[in-house]
Amino acid sequence: MERTKFAPLSGFVPLTPEQQAKFDQLKDLVARVHHAYGFRSLDLPLIYRTEALLAKSGGETDKQIFRIDKGGDDGAAGLALRFDLTVPLAMFIANNERNLAFPLKVSQIGRSYRGEKVQRGREREFYQCDIDVIARGKLAVAYDAEVVAGVAEIYRQMGIGGVTIRIGNRRLLGGFLQSLGLADTAGVMAVIDDAEKVSGEELRRRFSELGVGDGEIAQIERLISFSGNLAEFKASEWLAGDNELFQQGRSELIAVMEQLAARGVNEAVIDLQIVRGLDYYTGTVFETRLDAMPEIGSIGSGGRYDNLVANYSAEPFEGVGLSIGLTRIFNSLLEAGKLPELPLAEKVLLIPVEPAQIEFCLKTSAELRARSEMVDVYLQGGKLDKALSYAAKSGASTAIIIGEAEVAGKPLERRVLY
Amino acid sequence: MERTKFAPLSGFVPLTPEQQAKFDQLKDLVARVHHAYGFRSLDLPLIYRTEALLAKSGGETDKQIFRIDKGGDDGAAGLALRFDLTVPLAMFIANNERNLAFPLKVSQIGRSYRGEKVQRGREREFYQCDIDVIARGKLAVAYDAEVVAGVAEIYRQMGIGGVTIRIGNRRLLGGFLQSLGLADTAGVMAVIDDAEKVSGEELRRRFSELGVGDGEIAQIERLISFSGNLAEFKASEWLAGDNELFQQGRSELIAVMEQLAARGVNEAVIDLQIVRGLDYYTGTVFETRLDAMPEIGSIGSGGRYDNLVANYSAEPFEGVGLSIGLTRIFNSLLEAGKLPELPLAEKVLLIPVEPAQIEFCLKTSAELRARSEMVDVYLQGGKLDKALSYAAKSGASTAIIIGEAEVAGKPLERRVLY
């Protein structure tokens, strides 16, 4: 078969064993933090009815979705691969609302699929690490702080340098826009979402296109340029107003920042420019930058959604979530040579000099495994050179060569391989 | 949206958080054993060119495969979801042969997809746990014993009762059939593969259909009825013959059993009826039954394949593998109420009696997490009843109620929840 037929597909690139070990370290670290915070794992199916998957989404997702053509005799038309972890969770909750303990704290670490243009760090098959807290009815704002604390904890443990978590609130912003008398608040928010990517001139042009007057534009620019800590936020008297939605958002933002202080999360700042693109966010919104590499974009974002399950259930389910695009982050760090140097688990390789020592090696390996060691035994035989060459590349950290003397009782000597 | 639109698809059934915790225990246990034996993880893509996926397979797989219709503007026609973990591994090796350390010991724990009829325990989306050892060129038969030792270790640690690993050898059987002068040895092996499912009469009828004479049928029946330990195998003088292939298979089988004895694997017996259906096996073949539940079928099977990468590379790669169909086994054990009682990780739930105690709870949670505890904090407020009802269902093993007295210094009391 021609090599091009089985070469990796663009956007579906396998990791080498060395890369995989490092990727799994990060994935396991994220899972450990999720569990340490009391989140419970779900590993939901990858395939759904297309119609149900796209219930909420717009045209972009529709174009990017991987559809399933056929499976088995009874067909599988109308199915597609999930493009995120949130929509499957919403369906799961709608299907199981009577049997779940609320607030439901869910950890999902899994793959999703988007047929988007492959570019720097972005693959078509990628891991996301999500946590969500979902209540039947009202969810306390304290949980907004909990998911933000989760992202802070993950990056502290990863040790890849300082991060900044910028927190905004869509209710505060929406109320502010209402108080300016603007009708198309969703349109204005979409422009604000692009504020960092375009020039000030372009930004003003786009506001104007939506019918926003110069005076209002100036007020919006002032608002979204606010970035600071809770004391600065509270001290900014101009950040007040009697719009009810604005007041609610302001109270939520203050509550979240107070809770974060109580949790010792110093990475968080208020940044009123943060709106997150997705429509389903309603209150708290946040994103996270790696201070040393802001160019890789957000390394953990999310927010509050008050009606995510709305497409599937009449009951209101309030929730808040965090998503980390682990594949993209891993690829960016790998490319930049900045993957964290987490200690790899030790693995010892036993090398029998002659076939006569294999049995002793097997017994030794069983003893070491009983002490929770990871043990490989080189069983190919042949010259020692080959075994040592294997040792250097096999991921083992130490090797023990076992000859007649060792079988006779000579203490085993561990040679460090790297 | 109508409930039927987002209800789980047949063959794609999500686990509840409680089931998922138990499934993950088994999955983690398998991964731990894989790593303890020096296998390195790979987490290969799920999507490939259909043509490459089906290079080796026949009509059945072709019908069961899930094809991808379209993804992104440039289309994704001609793609499909993997139906096992072995074919993707063969492609990966062919694509990376220059950069890998051989023998390559690979652990894969991941999902595959088959559009087959959904039945008892079998899903369309399922986890397999595979280990494979692949050499560039010759692979020592000692590795055949290693993968068998792997399945024994996994079930010992799982503690679901005794298992029996039945080991055969396709070379021995093939050589035997050659020595009987039979031409269609593959056809005869396919009939032998069904021997346990059909009556003796039916079996003889099917052999006859292939042109096997009565005398030869009797000899085949005698051979495949052999089941015993190594001493019994060696003592059976009629299990000899000068056919070269037979002799090679016999030597391999003896070597594997000797190595298993050296490894203390007492679960293994020789059973010459074992051939495994798949064509790509060439030497050692084995399958595993749970002694108390033989009706659930093999809980770990595999064997030696001497040319698996043949469709993708001109170089010969010998290998041996083991596959455990974890989803099917989990579902069978779950249904029978026989899931192993592995200790679940402890999780403590902190419950503030009043909002005033939330801050103290958050500080306590940080201290406990710093000691590697898993800690949930109930942040919804409201009546204590609701919190206690949540506690019972949230997966926490203990709860600590924190009121004014605890904040003032009263020692924290852990209440056991289950």
Side-chain angles (χ1 to χ4, degrees):
Chain A
M1 178 176 281
E2 281 173 63
R3 185 161 291 273
T4 51
K5 297 282 168 61
F6 58 84
L9 293 163
S10 173
F12 297 85
V13 183
L15 300 179
T16 65
E18 292 76 20
Q19 292 167 347
Q20 190 69 54
K22 286 176 174 288
F23 183 85
D24 288 347
Q25 283 190 311
L26 302 191
K27 189 154 70 83
D28 293 348
L29 184 156
V30 172
R32 263 201 317 279
V33 174
H34 288 182
H35 294 154
Y37 279 71
F39 288 82
R40 309 171 83 183
S41 292
L42 282 180
D43 188 12
L44 299 174
L46 266 64
I47 297 182
Y48 298 87
R49 288 181 190 84
T50 314
E51 196 179 343
L53 268 186
L54 295 177
K56 174 86 182 181
S57 308
E60 221 18 59
T61 311
D62 193 49
K63 270 184 253 159
Q64 295 181 350
I65 205 166
F66 281 101
R67 290 168 199 271
I68 306 288
D69 188 20
K70 175 172 176 281
D73 291 338
D74 58 351
L79 304 185
L81 288 171
R82 70 184 182 193
F83 53 87
D84 74 1
L85 303 174
T86 314
V87 176
L89 179 61
M91 283 189 243
F92 175 78
I93 290 171
N95 285 320
N96 296 278
E97 46 184 286
R98 281 162 208 280
N99 308 313
L100 295 167
F102 292 100
L104 183 67
K105 294 176 66 174
V106 175
S107 157
Q108 293 189 87
I109 297 180
R111 281 167 159 167
S112 292
Y113 295 82
R114 288 184 203 168
E116 61 186 335
K117 205 169 159 225
V118 177
Q119 50 181 319
R120 209 185 153 78
R122 283 190 197 273
E123 305 288 344
R124 293 175 156 205
E125 173 179 61
F126 52 92
Y127 269 93
Q128 285 175 306
C129 306
D130 283 20
I131 47 177
D132 290 277
V133 190
I134 303 102
R136 200 171 192 163
K138 291 280 161 207
L139 180 72
V141 76
Y143 286 106
D144 296 27
E146 178 160 82
V147 301
V148 173
V151 71
E153 181 71 30
I154 284 165
Y155 286 109
R156 256 180 244 154
Q157 293 200 17
M158 224 177 260
I160 55 173
V163 305
T164 302
I165 307 170
R166 298 152 77 199
I167 303 181
N169 188 294
R170 281 175 76 110
R171 266 189 273 269
L172 180 152
L173 189 58
F176 182 80
L177 299 176
Q178 275 181 5
S179 72
L180 294 180
L182 301 178
D184 183 11
T185 57
V188 174
M189 283 205 207
V191 175
I192 294 173
D193 193 38
D194 281 343
E196 283 188 298
K197 294 178 212 150
V198 301
S199 68
E201 199 176 346
E202 168 69 6
L203 193 67
R204 284 186 287 277
R205 196 188 58 71
R206 287 169 67 175
F207 283 135
S208 289
E209 275 180 11
L210 294 172
V212 185
D214 288 350
E216 286 74 28
I217 291 178
Q219 291 197 59
I220 295 173
E221 289 190 311
R222 187 185 185 200
L223 184 88
I224 66 174
S225 69
F226 179 87
S227 172
N229 61 26
L230 181 57
E232 288 160 345
F233 180 73
K234 282 180 169 170
S236 299
E237 283 171 26
W238 60 273
L239 274 171
D242 50 13
N243 177 287
E244 199 181 334
L245 197 59
F246 177 90
Q247 282 302 335
Q248 189 189 342
R250 187 172 184 277
S251 305
E252 286 172 4
L253 195 46
I254 290 172
V256 168
M257 293 303 286
E258 284 174 348
Q259 290 263 323
L260 287 172
R263 288 173 178 271
V265 177
N266 307 317
E267 293 89 338
V269 295
I270 294 173
D271 191 325
L272 299 183
Q273 190 177 254
I274 301 300
V275 292
R276 302 300 303 156
L278 298 167
D279 278 350
Y280 55 67
Y281 291 123
T282 49
T284 301
V285 278
F286 63 91
E287 59 179 58
T288 310
R289 297 288 169 116
L290 183 56
D291 294 342
M293 292 174 73
E295 69 277 10
I296 67 176
S298 179
I299 58 171
S301 18
R304 159 73 65 146
Y305 40 86
D306 285 350
N307 50 6
L308 189 74
V309 185
N311 295 298
Y312 312 108
S313 174
E315 241 190 293
F317 287 89
E318 291 191 5
V320 61
L322 152 70
S323 186
I324 291 180
L326 194 61
T327 296
R328 187 174 57 75
I329 294 162
F330 178 83
N331 286 345
S332 300
L333 294 173
L334 179 68
E335 197 179 308
K338 295 200 173 157
L339 277 176
E341 295 287 336
L342 301 171
L344 278 170
E346 299 279 309
K347 183 165 84 178
V348 57
L349 173 69
L350 305 184
I351 304 174
V353 177
E354 301 282 342
Q357 286 101 41
I358 287 182
E359 195 172 333
F360 182 84
C361 283
L362 295 178
K363 289 197 171 137
T364 307
S365 70
E367 287 162 20
L368 295 174
R369 286 186 195 119
R371 302 205 308 249
S372 298
E373 288 208 56
M374 297 202 292
V375 190
D376 191 6
V377 184
Y378 188 77
L379 295 167
Q380 281 284 69
K383 295 206 174 132
L384 204 55
D385 280 6
K386 266 179 81 181
L388 290 172
S389 152
Y390 170 80
K393 294 184 293 183
S394 71
S397 43
T398 56
I400 305 177
I401 296 172
I402 294 181
E404 278 181 22
E406 281 76 13
V407 174
K410 189 180 166 198
L412 305 183
E413 186 196 341
R414 292 195 185 218
R415 297 162 186 237
V416 176
L417 293 169
Y418 61 80
Chain B
M1 178 175 284
E2 282 171 63
R3 185 162 289 273
T4 52
K5 297 284 168 59
F6 57 83
L9 293 163
S10 174
F12 297 84
V13 182
L15 300 179
T16 65
E18 291 75 20
Q19 292 167 346
Q20 190 69 55
K22 286 176 173 288
F23 184 86
D24 289 348
Q25 282 189 311
L26 302 192
K27 187 153 72 81
D28 293 349
L29 184 157
V30 172
R32 265 201 316 278
V33 173
H34 288 182
H35 295 152
Y37 279 72
F39 288 82
R40 308 170 83 184
S41 292
L42 281 180
D43 188 11
L44 299 174
L46 263 64
I47 296 181
Y48 298 87
R49 288 179 191 84
T50 313
E51 198 179 344
L53 269 187
L54 294 178
K56 173 84 181 179
S57 307
E60 223 14 61
T61 311
D62 193 48
K63 270 183 252 159
Q64 295 182 349
I65 205 167
F66 281 100
R67 292 168 197 273
I68 305 288
D69 187 22
K70 174 169 173 285
D73 291 338
D74 58 354
L79 304 185
L81 289 171
R82 69 185 182 193
F83 53 87
D84 74 2
L85 303 173
T86 315
V87 175
L89 179 61
M91 285 189 240
F92 175 77
I93 290 171
N95 284 322
N96 296 279
E97 48 185 285
R98 283 162 207 280
N99 307 314
L100 294 168
F102 290 100
L104 182 68
K105 294 175 66 173
V106 175
S107 157
Q108 292 189 87
I109 297 179
R111 280 167 160 167
S112 292
Y113 295 82
R114 286 184 205 166
E116 60 187 333
K117 202 167 162 231
V118 177
Q119 50 181 320
R120 209 183 152 79
R122 285 190 195 274
E123 305 289 342
R124 294 176 155 203
E125 173 178 61
F126 51 91
Y127 269 93
Q128 285 175 305
C129 306
D130 282 19
I131 48 177
D132 290 276
V133 190
I134 303 101
R136 201 172 193 160
K138 290 278 162 210
L139 179 72
V141 75
Y143 286 106
D144 297 26
E146 178 159 84
V147 301
V148 174
V151 72
E153 181 71 30
I154 285 166
Y155 286 108
R156 255 180 245 156
Q157 293 199 17
M158 224 177 259
I160 54 171
V163 305
T164 302
I165 308 171
R166 298 153 78 200
I167 305 182
N169 189 294
R170 281 177 75 111
R171 265 189 274 271
L172 180 152
L173 189 58
F176 181 80
L177 299 176
Q178 275 181 5
S179 72
L180 294 181
L182 302 177
D184 182 12
T185 58
V188 173
M189 283 206 208
V191 174
I192 294 173
D193 193 37
D194 281 343
E196 283 189 298
K197 295 179 213 149
V198 301
S199 68
E201 199 177 348
E202 168 70 8
L203 193 68
R204 284 187 287 278
R205 197 188 59 72
R206 286 168 70 174
F207 282 135
S208 289
E209 274 180 11
L210 293 171
V212 185
D214 287 351
E216 287 74 27
I217 291 178
Q219 291 199 59
I220 295 173
E221 288 190 311
R222 186 184 186 200
L223 184 88
I224 66 175
S225 68
F226 178 87
S227 171
N229 62 25
L230 182 56
E232 288 159 343
F233 180 73
K234 283 181 172 169
S236 300
E237 283 172 26
W238 60 273
L239 275 171
D242 51 12
N243 177 286
E244 201 182 333
L245 197 59
F246 177 90
Q247 283 301 335
Q248 190 190 340
R250 188 172 183 278
S251 306
E252 287 172 4
L253 195 45
I254 290 171
V256 168
M257 293 303 286
E258 284 174 348
Q259 289 263 324
L260 287 172
R263 288 172 177 270
V265 177
N266 308 315
E267 293 89 338
V269 295
I270 294 174
D271 190 325
L272 299 183
Q273 188 177 259
I274 301 299
V275 292
R276 303 300 305 155
L278 297 166
D279 278 349
Y280 55 68
Y281 291 121
T282 48
T284 301
V285 277
F286 63 91
E287 58 179 57
T288 310
R289 297 285 170 118
L290 183 56
D291 295 340
M293 292 174 72
E295 70 277 10
I296 68 176
S298 179
I299 58 171
S301 21
R304 160 73 64 144
Y305 40 85
D306 285 350
N307 51 7
L308 190 72
V309 186
N311 295 299
Y312 312 109
S313 174
E315 240 190 295
F317 287 89
E318 292 190 5
V320 61
L322 152 70
S323 186
I324 291 179
L326 194 61
T327 295
R328 188 175 55 76
I329 294 162
F330 178 83
N331 287 345
S332 300
L333 293 173
L334 179 68
E335 198 179 307
K338 295 198 174 160
L339 278 175
E341 294 287 334
L342 300 170
L344 278 169
E346 298 280 307
K347 183 164 85 178
V348 56
L349 173 69
L350 305 183
I351 304 173
V353 176
E354 301 280 340
Q357 286 101 42
I358 288 181
E359 193 171 333
F360 182 83
C361 283
L362 295 177
K363 288 195 171 138
T364 306
S365 72
E367 287 163 19
L368 295 174
R369 285 185 196 118
R371 302 206 308 251
S372 297
E373 289 207 56
M374 298 202 291
V375 190
D376 190 7
V377 183
Y378 188 79
L379 295 167
Q380 280 284 69
K383 296 206 174 131
L384 203 56
D385 280 3
K386 265 179 79 180
L388 290 172
S389 151
Y390 171 80
K393 294 184 292 182
S394 72
S397 45
T398 56
I400 304 176
I401 297 173
I402 294 180
E404 277 181 22
E406 282 76 14
V407 174
K410 187 180 168 201
L412 304 183
E413 184 195 342
R414 291 194 187 219
R415 296 163 187 237
V416 176
L417 293 169
Y418 61 78

